[in-house]
Amino acid sequence: MKIMICDDEKYIRDDLKKRLEEYYNSMDVLVLPVSSGEELLKIVERERGDVFCIFLDIEMEGMDGLETARRLRAEYPALPILLLTSHTELALEGYEVQAFRFLAKPLRQEKLVEALRAVEKSVRTAETHKLRVAAGDREIYVDCRDISYVKSENVYLNIVTTGGESSGTEHGRLLMRGKLKELLTRLPEYIFCQIHRSYIVNLSHVVSFDGRNVQMDTGERLPVSGGRREMFRERMTRYLRER
């Protein structure tokens, strides 16, 4: 298992590397520090599925952390990215890159441990939680990470996926009979949210919210009903801060 640290300040890289190695105390965990977004992208491309999570500084010279995160998110939508910043007001800008969590500098040990445990829990849950979808004469087991949103269409549910081997389908849609309310009880509560009588969204696939609609990473804009907007804001904020 590999953990990446990307920060242009050496003392922060060294300090975080030491803390991570002490926390895991295992030869199976390799901490790889780099000093730029460009270097990080090259290594992640080389290592691909072996990267467990990334600690990424927002403010760096050259390619900053947000641009680096955008490029990572485009290629690796499920990879946990933990943004580091000494200016907490910048944390809001990480919304669009779907940061797993924000950690303020100087880094407090208890917050680091909380974040690591949250990543571990999230990965375990995502790896084991699949949704069974009856499709004709066969059953498809869809990895919940690959579900972007679900739309209710009369007696059917249209499940829109981002694709991948784990979803059992390419980027597209799966159709099943059922009710949205019943399906919601079968999905991981911490990551799925009903935003409208006809829509459930996966919070990890939300790109932005303009007060009325959410933009999904599949490109669609979905309506958030007036009575659910405040609840959605609260759920999204909790998801970003406490995952």
Side-chain angles (χ1 to χ4, degrees):
M1 182 176 83
K2 297 181 176 67
I3 298 176
M4 302 290 303
I5 301 170
C6 183
D7 196 298
D8 57 2
E9 296 184 274
K10 185 177 186 301
Y11 79 94
I12 291 179
R13 297 196 303 271
D14 292 345
D15 175 64
L16 184 51
K17 182 175 187 291
K18 180 181 178 182
R19 295 198 207 191
L20 290 170
E21 289 174 342
E22 290 176 349
Y23 174 83
Y24 283 104
N25 191 27
S26 170
M27 296 294 290
D28 294 329
V29 177
L30 180 61
V31 181
L32 300 173
V34 296
S35 60
S36 70
E38 293 86 351
E39 186 180 3
L40 174 67
L41 293 174
K42 289 179 182 178
I43 293 179
V44 174
E45 169 67 20
R46 185 185 71 208
E47 302 294 340
R48 289 191 173 268
D50 289 337
V51 178
F52 177 67
C53 68
I54 296 172
F55 289 86
L56 178 59
D57 184 27
I58 291 181
E59 301 164 90
M60 296 188 295
E61 293 191 12
M63 185 188 299
D64 67 18
L66 291 175
E67 178 59 27
T68 304
R70 289 187 193 99
R71 299 191 185 192
L72 286 168
R73 186 59 65 225
E75 294 295 326
Y76 315 100
L79 181 60
I81 300 172
L82 298 93
L83 291 178
L84 307 173
T85 180
S86 54
H87 297 87
T88 54
E89 67 273 13
L90 294 176
L92 294 176
E93 298 183 35
Y95 184 91
E96 65 174 293
V97 298
Q98 302 159 52
F100 185 89
R101 186 166 286 199
F102 305 100
L103 294 173
K105 297 179 182 179
L107 193 58
R108 292 164 52 190
Q109 183 65 18
E110 64 270 24
K111 293 297 183 182
L112 173 61
V113 172
E114 286 177 9
L116 290 169
R117 289 175 178 170
V119 174
E120 292 161 1
K121 179 180 178 181
S122 175
V123 170
R124 286 196 303 270
T125 301
E127 286 177 346
T128 59
H129 201 114
K130 290 182 178 289
L131 178 69
R132 179 174 61 85
V133 178
D137 58 353
R138 63 179 180 142
E139 291 184 347
I140 296 176
Y141 302 96
V142 184
D143 191 319
C144 288
R145 292 173 298 180
D146 292 332
I147 298 174
S148 179
Y149 68 91
V150 182
K151 180 181 181 182
S152 175
E153 298 179 347
N154 297 318
V155 297
Y156 291 97
L157 297 174
N158 202 334
I159 300 171
V160 179
T161 71
T162 57
E165 294 179 3
S166 59
S167 70
T169 179
E170 295 180 356
H171 173 73
R173 303 167 187 264
L174 293 170
L175 204 63
M176 65 178 287
R177 291 183 68 92
K179 297 180 179 180
L180 205 65
K181 185 176 181 179
E182 294 175 357
L183 178 65
L184 188 60
T185 65
R186 298 169 54 194
L187 296 169
E189 185 271 338
Y190 77 98
I191 200 172
F192 284 91
C193 176
Q194 186 169 356
I195 60 169
H196 184 277
R197 66 181 181 180
S198 299
Y199 292 99
I200 292 172
V201 298
N202 183 333
L203 298 175
S204 71
H205 290 279
V206 173
V207 174
S208 64
F209 177 50
D210 64 10
R212 292 180 177 270
N213 304 282
V214 291
Q215 176 83 30
M216 306 302 295
D217 59 4
T218 51
E220 293 96 332
R221 285 166 53 86
L222 308 179
V224 182
S225 60
R228 297 178 184 270
R229 288 170 190 164
E230 188 59 34
M231 178 272 295
F232 169 75
R233 285 192 181 95
E234 293 174 357
R235 288 289 309 280
M236 195 73 205
T237 299
R238 186 175 69 187
Y239 167 77
L240 291 170
R241 292 180 178 174
E242 301 179 3
R243 272 189 63 189

